[in-house]
Amino acid sequence: MSTPKTPAGRRVGRPRAQERPAGGPEPRDEVLAVAGELFTTHGYTATSTRAIAERAGLRQASLYHYFDGKEAILAELLEGTVRPSLEVAAALVSRTEASPEARLWALCHSDAALLCGGPHNLGALYLLPEVGTERFADFHRLRSELKSSYAGLLAATAPGAGLAPDELVLRADLLFGLTESVILIRRADPDRAPEALAGATADAALRVAGVPPRSLARLRREGQMLLAARD
């Protein structure tokens, strides 16, 4: 008896629970999207890999082809909230022709917009007790790199240049914490406009950095131009 032919493009031994139209999201991306929704609406502990797989239209065994478990999915979601901001930070740090104050505004705005944008408040996952374990060391490393970018830009500003080392560290922590505070604001008020929240956060960050209020409007415009140049 002849062996049935497998349709081109289909993974042998990893059947879907249901077929999808061509051109849809990749299964791995769909798993992440579904998990982000379930983790933020039903809770991480209450969400099983079976529930994620079923919502994504996969068999549970197929999910393990893409991720080795629920922690791996969570780790990817967390790291995905930081990597884009690190790319923005690297680009802004290299733009030495622009003032460090404007670049700091742009970084705070971009980072806050990422955290308070998107369909789900993934930043709220930072608060999970599980995230403190060694399994999420890569996420914490990326987050530390991002904080270092804040500190570097702050140190290059006129107010930051006059700070003692310990005061600079504290001020950078305050800036970073202020930016990430949009996570809690979004959780309390999901309908808050992301662009307005990001702009207000970046403005407040420069005030915390010690920038004189009279310079804020100009630096905001410069920061907006830096971000527009990336689009």
Side-chain angles (χ1 to χ4, degrees):
M1 181 166 50
S2 62
T3 303
K5 294 184 178 180
T6 302
R10 181 178 299 175
R11 296 178 181 274
V12 178
R14 297 185 176 89
R16 292 182 179 274
Q18 58 189 23
E19 294 298 328
R20 289 185 188 74
E26 291 295 320
R28 190 177 190 278
D29 295 334
E30 195 159 358
V31 167
L32 289 171
V34 166
E37 177 185 359
L38 294 178
F39 289 167
T40 54
T41 57
H42 297 287
Y44 175 72
T45 302
T47 300
S48 65
T49 53
R50 180 181 296 277
I52 296 170
E54 288 178 353
R55 179 72 70 87
L58 296 171
R59 301 186 188 280
Q60 188 177 16
S62 299
L63 182 147
Y64 290 106
H65 173 57
Y66 303 102
F67 297 97
D68 63 15
K70 194 166 69 168
E71 284 190 338
I73 298 173
L74 177 58
E76 183 62 29
L77 287 171
L78 291 170
E79 292 167 25
T81 67
V82 182
R83 288 195 188 98
S85 291
L86 272 175
E87 293 177 6
V88 173
L92 290 172
V93 167
S94 69
R95 293 288 302 271
T96 53
E97 79 283 1
S99 70
E101 290 86 352
R103 288 181 283 155
L104 182 60
W105 187 96
L107 176 57
C108 292
H109 185 286
S110 177
D111 200 9
L114 174 69
L115 290 171
C116 62
H120 310 297
N121 190 10
L122 296 180
L125 301 176
Y126 291 9
L127 307 176
L128 291 172
E130 291 85 355
V131 176
T133 65
E134 181 62 26
R135 175 64 181 81
F136 300 96
D138 285 345
F139 162 66
H140 292 294
R141 176 182 55 78
L142 293 173
R143 193 161 166 258
S144 292
E145 289 179 16
L146 181 58
K147 186 190 291 188
S148 294
S149 297
Y150 276 77
L153 287 174
L154 173 62
T157 65
L163 295 175
D166 56 343
E167 180 64 22
L168 180 64
V169 171
L170 175 59
R171 196 74 62 91
D173 284 344
L174 289 171
L175 284 174
F176 198 61
L178 172 64
T179 303
E180 290 193 342
S181 71
V182 299
I183 295 168
L184 298 178
I185 295 173
R186 184 182 181 189
R187 187 164 68 174
D189 185 3
D191 296 326
R192 186 74 65 91
E195 180 63 25
L197 182 53
T201 301
D203 287 354
L206 289 194
R207 297 293 300 275
V208 171
V211 171
R214 66 180 179 275
S215 303
L216 184 56
R218 173 179 57 82
L219 294 170
R220 184 191 305 121
R221 289 193 299 271
E222 291 179 13
Q224 289 169 338
M225 291 174 63
L226 287 169
L227 292 177
R230 290 185 49 81
D231 295 338

